[in-house]
Amino acid sequence: MPEVVVELCGIRRVFREQGSSLEVHAVDGIDLKIAKGEFLAIMGASGSGKSTLLHILGCLDRPTEGKYLLDGEDVSILNDDRLSQLRNTKIGFIFQTFNLIPQLNVIENVELPLLYSGQPIDQKRCIEVITAVGLEDRISFLPNRISGGEMQRVAIARALVNNPTLLVADEPTGNLDSKSSQDIMHIFEELHKTGRTIVVVTHEEEIARRAERIMHFSDGKIVREEKGFS
């Protein structure tokens, strides 16, 4: 049997509106296993809870109830310091809005996870991941000198530099044109071929079809699953 990297058991995330007793069940009782090296797409309309689920997977949010095992460790019970350490070493997060530091050039942005985790700066490793996303000729460029698609490639390189166990991407093509979107998904496909475990949230069917497995999300629940690669 393939090694399980992620296991969610009865995960719920409940939000309460300020000054009200009304509860919003953004994630409502999710059981999910993700195997090592799997490429999973989570599809759903805006407000379906898919980004909340991804934030839980990325340890950016805590579940209200349930157990989340990452590499066999129950991260749902960790204190903030250990959770921060785990985010910096085991999870690579890619955002729709890139989240690059405008005053830092490409390689300096890629170095940030190493700084945050207290590791020495490994220039060779940084150049390696920048080259892997096709930006070796942009190393010294500031973000305002490169395109949106190139900025997202920098974000992918930054997410890879710590060699994470899990790569998670929240609408990574949402701010890109169709050509740049295809380029980004091609990078994810190549990463998948090298054995990376990848979870991508998207509302675009064409993007989801590039994944190995597609999970459809609605009202905080998994409503169906299907195979991708069509």
Side-chain angles (χ1 to χ4, degrees):
M1 289 182 63
E3 180 184 345
V4 174
V5 171
V6 167
E7 183 171 4
L8 304 183
C9 305
I11 291 292
R12 299 181 188 275
R13 183 63 174 99
V14 179
F15 296 97
R16 290 176 176 83
E17 293 191 6
Q18 191 171 6
S20 169
S21 60
L22 182 64
E23 293 185 343
V24 177
H25 292 254
V27 176
D28 194 7
I30 297 297
D31 296 317
L32 175 66
K33 290 182 180 180
I34 302 173
K36 184 176 182 179
E38 188 173 7
F39 185 4
L40 172 68
I42 301 174
M43 275 199 76
S46 179
S48 64
K50 62 186 187 300
S51 288
T52 301
L53 177 61
L54 196 74
H55 287 177
I56 291 172
L57 288 172
C59 296
L60 296 173
D61 193 10
R62 292 179 181 272
T64 307
E65 297 177 23
K67 181 181 287 189
Y68 170 18
L69 300 177
L70 177 63
D71 257 359
E73 183 175 11
D74 187 355
V75 303
S76 49
I77 61 172
L78 298 180
N79 63 33
D80 288 344
D81 287 344
R82 175 63 184 131
L83 204 60
S84 177
Q85 181 187 42
L86 186 141
R87 274 197 305 268
N88 287 329
T89 56
K90 287 199 171 186
I91 298 168
F93 213 112
I94 299 156
F95 301 89
Q96 179 178 347
T97 51
F98 320 133
N99 287 7
L100 303 183
I101 306 298
Q103 297 86 0
L104 302 182
N105 65 25
V106 166
I107 194 166
E108 290 167 339
N109 268 285
V110 171
E111 290 170 351
L112 286 175
L114 299 174
L115 289 170
Y116 293 152
S117 61
Q119 299 182 55
I121 299 303
D122 185 344
Q123 287 253 323
K124 183 179 178 182
R125 173 62 180 163
C126 292
I127 292 170
E128 179 183 291
V129 293
I130 291 168
T131 301
V133 298
L135 289 180
E136 59 271 24
D137 59 344
R138 298 286 194 271
I139 281 178
S140 62
F141 284 35
L142 291 172
N144 65 5
R145 293 189 59 203
I146 60 178
S147 69
E150 289 171 332
M151 283 194 278
Q152 193 60 293
R153 290 197 222 175
V154 176
I156 293 172
R158 180 183 59 193
L160 289 171
V161 73
N162 267 341
N163 196 26
T165 300
L166 178 65
L167 196 62
V168 292
D170 193 0
E171 299 280 5
T173 62
N175 285 341
L176 304 179
D177 59 39
S178 57
K179 170 65 167 61
S180 297
S181 296
Q182 295 305 315
D183 290 343
I184 293 301
M185 292 311 297
H186 177 70
I187 290 172
F188 283 131
E189 288 172 335
E190 292 303 304
L191 290 170
H192 174 242
K193 289 176 184 176
T194 68
R196 290 280 173 193
T197 308
I198 305 169
V199 181
V200 172
V201 153
T202 183
H203 65 276
E204 301 177 68
E205 178 119 6
E206 183 180 356
I207 297 301
R209 291 283 169 204
R210 305 284 287 269
E212 179 181 10
R213 177 164 62 124
I214 305 168
M215 189 179 78
H216 294 265
F217 213 65
S218 180
D219 296 327
K221 298 178 184 290
I222 301 170
V223 291
R224 66 186 174 94
E225 291 190 23
E226 61 181 310
K227 291 183 179 180
F229 290 152
S230 64

